[in-house]
Amino acid sequence: MPQSNETIARRSFVMCLAAMTLLAVVVPVTPSFAQAAGHVRIKFVKAGLLVGGGTGSGVLTWRGRNYPFSVSGLSLGITAGASIVRLDGWASDIREVGDFAGTYSSVGGGFALVGGINGVHLRNEKGVTIVLQGPKAGLEVAANLSAITISMR
């Protein structure tokens, strides 16, 4: 008994739907090479006279997980004083959490007399960009070239 065109069309539709469902289950929705932004919080203490240095710690919140890290930095230029900075912002262009670690460079400056505002835009060799801002406490005048190293803990 020959099958009608309607029966053939229905079977083709069901098979196509089954194939698409199988493909959706097998292929991951988000490829591993996708870039995602992460939230960054840092506490940094620094001091210097001409050459400045500092150290601190922070947390990267990326894809629902917290990754603690340590920060150290060196600045060359006009630096005088000491300050404590708490920064909050975003890191973008992260492909995997290991991309966040590395050496970041920045050109900038700041001023604090008891209290002030600080902002920084950093980029590392893997293309990760961090934009941070926050309050600064201490006495500091700075206009310098900085290198900051982030190490995952």
Side-chain angles (χ1 to χ4, degrees), residues 9-27:
R10 189 176 304 135
R11 282 188 184 170
S12 296
F13 175 76
V14 170
M15 298 214 19
C16 184
L17 186 61
M20 288 186 340
T21 303
L22 180 62
L23 187 61
V25 171
V26 173
V27 176

Side-chain angles (χ1 to χ4, degrees), residues 47-51 77-82 112 139-144:
L49 182 60
L50 297 180
V51 175
I78 302 168
T79 301
L139 175 60
E140 179 190 37
V141 175
N144 48 41

Side-chain angles (χ1 to χ4, degrees), residues 1-141:
M1 173 158 141
Q3 295 181 349
S4 70
N5 288 341
E6 187 177 308
T7 306
I8 294 172
R10 189 176 304 135
R11 282 188 184 170
S12 296
F13 175 76
V14 170
M15 298 214 19
C16 184
L17 186 61
M20 288 186 340
T21 303
L22 180 62
L23 187 61
V25 171
V26 173
V27 176
V29 176
T30 306
S32 62
F33 56 84
Q35 298 173 354
H39 182 258
V40 180
R41 289 182 312 272
I42 296 176
K43 179 181 177 185
F44 196 73
V45 178
K46 65 180 182 172
L49 182 60
L50 297 180
V51 175
T55 186
S57 62
V59 175
L60 166 68
T61 303
W62 186 66
R63 292 188 173 170
R65 293 191 57 203
N66 291 331
Y67 298 92
F69 61 89
S70 59
V71 180
S72 61
L74 179 67
S75 62
L76 300 172
I78 302 168
T79 301
S83 66
I84 298 174
V85 184
R86 293 183 189 272
L87 300 168
D88 195 35
W90 294 96
S92 58
D93 299 325
I94 301 172
R95 292 179 183 269
E96 57 185 54
V97 74
D99 291 347
F100 184 73
T103 301
Y104 291 79
S105 58
S106 170
V107 175
F111 175 78
L113 177 60
V114 179
I117 298 291
N118 195 32
V120 66
H121 186 104
L122 305 166
R123 186 173 176 91
N124 75 3
E125 68 276 2
K126 296 174 189 157
V128 176
T129 301
I130 302 175
V131 178
L132 302 164
Q133 64 181 14
K136 177 189 282 193
L139 175 60
E140 179 190 37
V141 175

